[in-house]
Amino acid sequence: MTQVADEKRMTIFEHLAELRMRLIRSFVALAVATLFSLLFTRPIFEILKAPAYPIDLIFIDPTEGMGSYFRVALLAGVILAMPAIVYQAAMFVMPGLTPAEKRYLFWLLPGATLSFVIGVVFAYAVLMPPAITFLLGWPGEDIARPQIRLSSYIDFVTRFLFWVGVVFETPLIIYFLAKVRVVSPQRLASLRKYAIVGAFALGAIITPTFDPVNQTLVAVPLILLYEVGIFLAKLAYR
């Protein structure tokens, strides 16, 4: 009995060691990608500042400019390192999957990275302009003239782009869960009304504005992504 318990304990320790190794490799990939991103952080910085034009961003702390610069490099590093991070996560769960499930997961790895990049581009090109316009235009120049701190603006932009990119991976996650029979299209369809409410709630969290227009701009794509997930789940069951 003791021998069986020892073997089980060793198995848990092995999983923890495997998790630590995968996390270390992911952090190394992120560090290398971030250092590489420093080579072209300046043009990325200018791209991120574009939606705030013609507002001049300011910084008041000695380290604020450098901190914001490295935050932009980190965001670029996350995008570049995403294939390696997703691969390490997949390799960690791989031993618990069947051969068929392993094939499904490998097919989804490129799609996960592509979905994240599409989400970032969509957030920047479609969602950010109206959100920034609303934030900087409220309550009006006749009441106050906006002087935005650089660190606050970069913090908002990077968080916004990152989480929208993560959310855009929802259809692939649903497809994989349906493929391994964790969820079904019928169950997903029955939860549609809760998904709609959750999409607007998530839109309120992601978008730091109080107007329903910007929240709807975030919520509608989330609802469409859920519907795409249901469609992919039907394909998975076939």
Side-chain angles (χ1 to χ4, degrees), residues 45 59-70 150-151:
F45 216 105
F59 68 89
I60 58 178
D61 293 330
T63 60
E64 187 173 349
M66 180 180 294
S68 301
Y69 193 86
F70 279 100
L150 179 64
S151 59

Side-chain angles (χ1 to χ4, degrees), residues 112-129:
T113 301
L114 181 61
S115 298
F116 180 82
V117 174
I118 291 176
V120 171
V121 173
F122 179 83
Y124 176 81
V126 179
L127 302 181
M128 267 189 54

Side-chain angles (χ1 to χ4, degrees), residues 53-197:
Y53 182 82
I55 302 298
D56 291 327
L57 302 178
I58 63 172
F59 68 89
I60 58 178
D61 293 330
T63 60
E64 187 173 349
M66 180 180 294
S68 301
Y69 193 86
F70 279 100
R71 190 181 185 93
V72 173
L74 179 62
L75 175 64
V78 169
I79 296 176
L80 292 178
M82 187 57 63
I85 296 174
V86 173
Y87 175 78
Q88 295 299 327
M91 293 303 295
F92 176 71
V93 302
M94 197 68 69
L97 303 179
T98 65
E101 292 169 350
K102 292 178 181 179
R103 290 197 300 270
Y104 304 149
L105 188 58
F106 270 119
W107 277 105
L108 291 178
L109 290 181
T113 301
L114 181 61
S115 298
F116 180 82
V117 174
I118 291 176
V120 171
V121 173
F122 179 83
Y124 176 81
V126 179
L127 302 181
M128 267 189 54
I132 295 295
T133 300
F134 176 84
L135 289 172
L136 298 184
W138 185 270
E141 293 187 0
D142 55 331
I143 297 179
R145 184 166 56 90
Q147 289 184 321
I148 311 301
R149 289 184 58 174
L150 179 64
S151 59
S152 300
Y153 178 81
I154 294 300
D155 177 69
F156 158 66
V157 170
T158 52
R159 283 191 295 109
F160 186 74
L161 297 180
F162 175 79
W163 286 113
V164 173
V166 171
V167 168
F168 260 66
E169 298 188 1
T170 301
L172 288 179
I173 296 175
I174 293 177
Y175 176 81
F176 178 75
L177 294 178
K179 201 68 177 176
V180 299
R181 298 301 189 263
V182 175
V183 297
S184 65
Q186 295 77 15
R187 180 61 177 169
L188 293 172
S190 67
L191 297 175
R192 181 179 283 110
K193 56 183 179 181
Y194 300 104
I196 294 175
V197 175

Side-chain angles (χ1 to χ4, degrees), residues 214-236:
N214 283 312
Q215 293 180 7
T216 303
L217 286 175
V218 177
V220 170
L222 298 183
I223 296 172
L224 294 178
L225 289 172
Y226 187 80
E227 294 296 331
V228 172
I230 295 177
F231 174 74
L232 293 178
K234 293 179 181 179
L235 295 181

